[in-house]
Amino acid sequence: MLLKTLPIFLAFFLMGLADAMGPNAEKMKTAYDLSNWQSTLVSFSVFIAFAVFSVPGGVLAARIGKKKLLLLGLGLNAVALVLPSVMVPPFAVVLGCIFLLGVGTTFLQVAGNPIMRDVSPEGAYSRNLALAQGIKGLGSAASTYIVLAISSLAVFKSMDWRGAFPVFCILMTLAFVAVLFLRVHEAKVDEPPSIGSSLSLLGEPAFLLAVVGIFLYVGAEASMGRFLQPTLRDFGMDGDSAAFWGPTVFFLSLTVGRLLGSAILTVMSPRTCFRLSALLGLLGAAALMSGSKPLSLAGVLAAGLGFANIWPMLFSITVEEKPDRANELSGLMCMAISGGAIVPLVMGGLKDLNLGAMAYVVPAACFAYLLALSLRGGKPAPAPEPARAA
């Protein structure tokens, strides 16, 4: 099973590389002399693609298959990374390339989340999706480290913020080849969905509230990835230390939290895990509002652990309500990833108003909503199955 699903887990790992656009935006801000608000357009260009292409991606997955959509996403990502790998383009062209990267990553998310259900034993979907999201978190953490490590190598040092792009391009190409030879038995639908039938699901309150929850969660996570480094630098840390103790530690704790979540879900229901995660995420964001360096460092760790399992828990809880509409729900939930484009703009505007640490009221408010959402009732979740031997 592991060897068969390894290309899928590799695709999840590469989804996390898009998170490098947040920390990398700080270098691009210097290179292109941008304001805080303008620099958020880098992550905006990735995440706005989710708003435009997620629902069509869900429809396309149902029509051509999830594997083909994974291949399309990986191919688009590789193409998007070529131009910045070979030249220094104007900022507008960079945003275009990053938007294309967002389109490819959208397709990876839309296809990757439901295809995990196809390869999971009954009752193990939440656990396996948490593990896959942990691997995605590893990609997020690795992407931040890769950007720092590559920029220090002599062969890439002159490329500055572009140094990681050739490496990411090669990884996308290797993943494309791996998925190409993958055999997956996909669950089929009798009648392919349409964009209209997908959007009609928003008429059901449970799905609408969940989509808003994903929108705010991703926005809060993108805001952390973008602003943790400059926040810690304001405390007197040098650039490398601030990058490590900020986005790198945050994404590493995301990874650890998701891997722990996969184990915890063998004994805890997804809804209970969702509630505990939302509470911890809120406490971490609130600690960052304090303006205290020790509390902020603790807040980075707590926020990473709290943010870790929001996506797999909320996604799986929602999909299990209507598993026969998994492709459409995946498109809607991935459309909500566009929160990563909108919410950081709000936080960037507050930072430009010199509000300092108080700007973290934005992710704190997002997690206050998620905590309230987690306390809503729902149909009882099935008891977790014991882990099966491979």
Side-chain angles (χ1 to χ4, degrees):
M1 178 65 75
L2 177 61
L3 290 177
K4 181 180 178 181
T5 59
L6 190 59
I8 296 176
F9 284 117
L10 178 58
F12 270 90
F13 177 83
L14 293 179
M15 290 178 202
L17 294 185
D19 291 324
M21 294 302 106
N24 209 28
E26 188 64 18
K27 292 191 173 189
M28 295 171 68
K29 176 186 173 185
T30 301
Y32 288 99
D33 192 24
L34 307 173
S35 69
N36 281 310
W37 186 87
Q38 288 173 319
S39 68
T40 62
L41 292 176
V42 175
S43 56
F44 177 91
S45 297
V46 173
F47 291 112
I48 199 63
F50 284 91
V52 179
F53 288 95
S54 289
V55 172
V59 174
L60 191 59
R63 293 178 180 272
I64 69 173
K66 305 177 193 76
K67 174 184 171 179
K68 289 182 180 178
L69 193 65
L70 279 174
L71 289 171
L72 179 58
L74 290 166
L76 289 175
N77 281 359
V79 170
L81 294 165
V82 170
L83 188 60
S85 297
V86 299
M87 63 175 290
V88 182
F91 184 60
V93 176
V94 172
L95 293 181
C97 292
I98 293 175
F99 176 76
L100 185 59
L101 179 67
V103 175
T105 304
T106 298
F107 290 159
L108 293 186
Q109 286 270 21
V110 170
N113 288 292
I115 207 173
M116 187 57 65
R117 194 172 192 276
D118 293 333
V119 299
S120 298
E122 186 175 354
Y125 179 39
S126 294
R127 185 168 66 242
N128 286 353
L129 188 58
L131 176 60
Q133 290 293 325
I135 292 173
K136 176 181 177 290
L138 184 62
S140 298
S143 66
T144 306
Y145 176 77
I146 288 172
V147 169
L148 290 173
I150 290 178
S151 63
S152 66
L153 298 176
V155 66
F156 293 113
K157 198 166 187 178
S158 62
M159 295 182 70
D160 193 25
W161 60 270
R162 300 184 301 115
F165 280 70
V167 177
F168 291 170
C169 185
I170 292 171
L171 289 174
M172 293 293 178
T173 304
L174 292 175
F176 181 93
V177 174
V179 172
L180 183 64
F181 291 99
L182 173 68
R183 291 184 179 181
V184 179
H185 178 70
E186 298 186 25
K188 302 294 183 181
V189 294
D190 295 331
E191 183 179 346
S194 66
I195 292 178
S197 68
S198 299
L199 294 176
S200 69
L201 288 171
L202 293 176
E204 300 187 34
F207 298 141
L208 177 60
L209 292 172
V211 167
V212 173
I214 291 293
F215 180 92
L216 295 176
Y217 157 68
V218 177
E221 183 179 309
S223 295
M224 301 287 276
R226 168 63 188 91
F227 292 110
L228 281 175
Q229 181 178 352
T231 295
L232 296 183
R233 201 172 58 234
D234 289 343
F235 288 132
M237 290 187 176
D238 61 69
D240 289 346
S241 296
F244 175 78
W245 292 107
T248 300
V249 168
F250 175 69
F251 287 122
L252 278 173
S253 60
L254 272 175
T255 304
V256 171
R258 285 167 179 164
L259 295 175
L260 288 175
S262 180
I264 290 170
L265 283 169
T266 63
V267 296
M268 181 185 295
S269 74
R271 192 169 292 277
T272 301
C273 185
F274 178 30
R275 290 168 179 164
L276 293 175
S277 296
L279 176 60
L280 186 57
L282 176 58
L283 293 174
L288 283 158
M289 291 173 59
S290 69
S292 162
K293 180 178 177 180
L295 276 179
S296 294
L297 291 175
V300 171
L301 182 61
L305 293 173
F307 282 38
N309 291 298
I310 297 296
W311 170 272
M313 295 307 95
L314 187 50
F315 187 95
S316 61
I317 289 169
T318 304
V319 168
E320 290 298 345
E321 293 283 337
K322 283 186 180 291
D324 57 311
R325 309 288 293 275
N327 285 319
E328 294 157 282
L329 286 170
S330 179
L332 288 174
M333 302 288 270
C334 290
M335 179 181 68
I337 294 175
S338 59
I342 306 302
V343 177
L345 288 178
V346 177
M347 189 168 176
L350 294 181
K351 293 284 284 185
D352 283 337
L353 291 175
N354 297 318
L355 292 183
M358 284 305 298
Y360 283 92
V361 69
V362 173
C366 293
F367 265 74
Y369 173 91
L370 288 165
L371 180 59
L373 180 62
S374 73
L375 296 174
R376 291 183 75 249
K379 70 180 186 180
E385 290 186 356
R388 299 182 181 181

